[in-house]
Amino acid sequence: MTAALPLLLRSHPHLTAASAESLDFQARVGHPTGPDPAPCVLVLTRAADREVDDLSLWLAARGTALVRLDSDRCVGTDVQWDPLTGLLARDGRTFRPRVCWLRYFDVEALRSGHPAPDATLHVRDQWQAFVTALTAHEGVRTLNPAARPGTPDRLTQLAAARAAGLRVPATLVTTRLDVAARALPGTGDLLVKSLGRHCVEPRPGRLLGVYPQRIPRTVLDGTQHTGAPVLVQEYVAADRELRIHAVGGTLIGYAVTRPTPESLWTRPESITVRRCDIPADVAEAVRELLDRFRLDLGAVDLLDTPSGPVFLEVNPEFDWRWAEHGAGDSDTTNAVRALIAAAVPAHRGENR
């Protein structure tokens, strides 16, 4: 008998193709000239990271090299690293990373080129070990030093948010929705979420969204096995979300209205965004969370309800250009640039 698909993969499928073609200015044109070894910003991400594409162009204009390792383009890369000196050689040039930023580097996106599964697993394991060592090196300023894929996990986040004074939804981790319906207070709908990531990548470059699902308790009869542990919460009604971008101690607030939880991925044109003030008590709680998780950068999402904000999650690998575009500002971009500029000196030179 074939097992049924896990609950969160049974409906609302949304497949996204993530191109491995780089639009990074420095990857295409070359790094600025400068001393050897050249101070650089090292970013570990994937090719479709448009925030880093923008950062690359800005850094080039100030004469600063951005060295990028994209998980979907790294196979075949000519790279050497001396862990004693901290020097990184890439494509015939030597760099000294001053800042290291782990964003979307994910070995599941790695195209190994090997037909044998054991070879692919080995190549992925080697790249993961390399990235882990790079981000732990003492001679570099690592942004979000305690954040790794899946860390801080959603349950740790909920506990920390509650300890910081934020309201959190009633929550249960379960493989049985009927058990959650009886255990969680109230009679309203349930919201079923991924306990891990919001997507799976069955093949490199092919991402399947794993979105929250709202389920009425009235349809649950004891037969709804989820197929894997899921996060089940009471559904909290709210007209909008409060999204707070945190960059180096600066907090920037946005009010976000979207028709469904998955609209950010499936119908981005339906979302409205505007700048908003952050209540003082919320700002204090957010700063406590950032300190708790050692985050230099991140996005904190809350529901804006009549009885006060309700915490949803902290996202260390956040995209901010969509919120800036909707609100018509560039404050987060400017704050990220200021954070990088404070750690890496500018050098006026020419591109290679």
Side-chain angles (χ1 to χ4, degrees):
M1 174 181 286
T2 302
L5 280 173
L7 172 68
L8 293 178
L9 296 181
R10 294 174 198 168
S11 60
H12 307 295
H14 181 70
L15 189 64
T16 299
S19 173
E21 180 183 3
S22 178
L23 299 180
D24 186 297
F25 176 81
Q26 295 194 35
R28 291 189 165 203
V29 176
H31 301 298
T33 59
D36 188 10
C40 77
V41 176
L42 174 64
V43 182
L44 311 167
T45 187
R46 60 187 302 159
D49 191 336
R50 300 300 170 238
E51 277 71 15
V52 175
D53 289 344
D54 178 73
L55 181 65
S56 175
L57 181 60
W58 175 77
L59 286 171
R62 71 191 296 271
T64 302
L66 184 141
V67 177
R68 181 166 171 167
L69 291 177
D70 294 328
S71 54
D72 44 3
R73 302 191 317 121
C74 62
V75 172
T77 297
D78 178 12
V79 61
Q80 294 81 38
W81 181 53
D82 184 339
L84 297 182
T85 63
L87 296 180
L88 183 73
R90 173 77 185 273
D91 299 326
R93 189 168 175 196
T94 304
F95 300 92
R96 183 180 297 281
R98 296 295 190 189
V99 172
C100 181
W101 188 3
L102 175 61
R103 278 178 56 80
Y104 291 116
F105 193 99
D106 187 342
V107 293
E108 290 187 7
L110 188 148
R111 295 167 165 86
S112 72
H114 294 285
D118 53 347
T120 296
L121 291 174
H122 172 70
V123 171
R124 288 179 173 178
D125 181 66
Q126 294 300 106
W127 274 102
Q128 185 61 68
F130 179 43
V131 165
T132 299
L134 281 172
T135 58
H137 193 262
E138 294 181 352
V140 68
R141 163 77 187 279
T142 298
L143 301 179
N144 294 350
R148 296 291 182 270
T151 305
D153 67 87
R154 301 195 195 286
L155 300 179
T156 300
Q157 290 184 23
L158 289 169
R162 185 175 182 181
L166 293 171
R167 177 187 162 195
V168 301
T171 301
L172 186 72
V173 176
T174 184
T175 57
R176 291 271 302 274
L177 295 188
D178 59 312
V179 172
R182 293 191 297 270
L184 296 178
T187 59
D189 295 349
L190 302 176
L191 196 65
V192 184
K193 299 180 179 180
S194 169
L195 189 58
R197 297 182 301 170
H198 290 304
C199 68
V200 295
E201 194 163 356
R203 299 195 310 276
R206 305 287 284 178
L207 284 78
L208 184 65
V210 182
Y211 307 126
Q213 294 187 24
R214 181 179 175 180
I215 299 178
R217 298 191 202 213
T218 54
V219 305
L220 301 178
D221 57 10
T223 64
Q224 288 85 2
H225 290 262
T226 62
V230 292
L231 190 69
V232 184
Q233 296 179 319
E234 59 173 330
Y235 176 77
V236 179
D239 292 332
R240 67 177 191 174
E241 292 182 12
L242 177 61
R243 184 175 181 86
I244 301 174
H245 291 174
V247 183
T250 299
L251 300 183
I252 304 163
Y254 295 93
V256 180
T257 303
R258 53 181 171 177
T260 62
E262 69 273 11
S263 296
L264 177 60
W265 300 276
T266 60
R267 295 176 56 203
E269 74 284 351
S270 68
I271 298 175
T272 60
V273 185
R274 65 177 179 81
R275 284 293 301 272
C276 69
D277 295 330
I278 305 171
D281 58 336
V282 173
E284 182 180 356
V286 166
R287 294 185 192 281
E288 185 173 331
L289 285 179
L290 298 172
D291 290 342
R292 163 70 173 79
F293 296 130
R294 298 170 61 199
L295 295 180
D296 303 285
L297 308 98
V300 180
D301 294 326
L302 307 102
L303 294 173
D304 189 15
T305 75
S307 57
V310 178
F311 174 83
L312 293 177
E313 67 176 0
V314 178
N315 183 0
E317 313 101 346
F318 72 113
D319 294 335
W320 62 85
R321 293 171 74 240
W322 67 269
E324 287 189 336
H325 177 75
D329 76 353
S330 58
D331 289 353
T332 304
T333 293
N334 293 337
V336 171
R337 291 176 177 180
L339 182 66
I340 298 294
V344 187
H347 175 80
R348 302 298 176 185
E350 301 296 330
N351 290 338
R352 296 180 66 188

